[in-house]
């Protein structure tokens, strides 16, 4: 898996194609192929400018994990993904009141890297990508 994809901002959109058109106007380029994640029922495309990577996330059905979020909140930032050694950092996350909201699962768009989502009332949702 490309290391540059591990740390990113997840951005929920109703249409990846329309979002890419906008982001290209402000200097972003596609850096991955569009990927379907059957576990989460989402389509994913990574884009980047010189400084940051964004994971565009589009629900593929009304059963998608992001479908109701998108309907309720509209498009926008969804999570921050961090590349850390979860086994080493779990106690630090727990100390600052992060708790897991999913089990570890492989993320097809990240080369089947294990990811797990955590939530904190102070920060919101983060995704941890760990080998």
């Amino acid at each position: 898996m490309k290391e540059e994809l591990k740390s990113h901002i997840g951005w929920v959109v109703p249409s990846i194609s329309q979002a890419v058109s906008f982001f290209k106007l402000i200097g972003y380029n596609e850096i991955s192929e569009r990927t379907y994640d059957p576990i989460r029922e989402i389509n994913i495309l990574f884009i980047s400018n010189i400084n940051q990577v964004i994971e565009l996330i589009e629900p593929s059905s009304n059963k998608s994990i992001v479908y109701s979020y998108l309907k309720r909140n509209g498009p926008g930032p969804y999570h921050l993904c961090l590349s850390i050694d979860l086994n080493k950092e779990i106690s630090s996350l727990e100390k600052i009141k992060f708790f897991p909201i999913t089990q570890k699962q492989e993320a097809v768009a990240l080369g089947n890297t294990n990811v797990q989502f955590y939530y904190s009332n102070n920060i919101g949702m983060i995704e941890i990508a760990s080998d």
Side-chain angles (χ1 to χ4, degrees):
M1 187 208 47
K2 295 179 180 178
E3 285 299 313
E4 70 267 15
L5 300 183
K6 281 188 177 180
S7 295
H8 63 264
I9 298 168
W11 200 286
V12 177
V13 296
S15 166
I16 285 177
S17 298
Q18 290 177 359
V20 166
S21 295
F22 167 77
F23 278 104
K24 282 185 175 182
L25 292 173
I26 57 172
Y28 284 80
N29 295 298
E30 298 174 33
I31 59 170
S32 75
E33 296 294 319
R34 186 183 297 225
T35 305
Y36 174 66
D37 185 330
I39 294 172
R40 296 165 186 86
E41 294 192 49
I42 55 177
N43 296 308
I44 296 167
L45 179 72
F46 287 93
I47 60 174
S48 179
N49 67 8
I50 293 171
N51 300 313
Q52 96 195 134
V53 175
I54 295 177
E55 175 190 29
L56 296 175
I57 307 163
E58 169 191 81
S60 62
S61 77
N62 62 0
K63 295 178 183 173
S64 165
I65 62 166
V66 298
Y67 179 81
S68 61
Y69 178 90
L70 181 61
K71 288 293 183 195
R72 188 174 56 252
N73 299 302
Y78 179 62
H79 69 264
L80 176 64
C81 183
L82 306 171
S83 177
I84 63 173
D85 184 339
L86 188 56
N87 294 324
K88 289 182 181 178
E89 303 297 336
I90 188 69
S91 62
S92 296
L93 287 173
E94 290 171 348
K95 283 180 188 174
I96 56 174
K97 306 284 192 240
F98 274 96
F99 58 90
I101 57 173
T102 67
Q103 299 294 318
K104 283 185 187 177
Q105 293 179 317
E106 289 184 345
V108 66
L110 294 176
N112 295 323
T113 296
N114 284 321
V115 298
Q116 188 169 12
F117 286 85
Y118 285 78
Y119 186 82
S120 163
N121 289 330
N122 297 319
I123 300 295
M125 187 166 56
I126 61 171
E127 176 185 21
I128 303 298
S130 60
D131 293 323

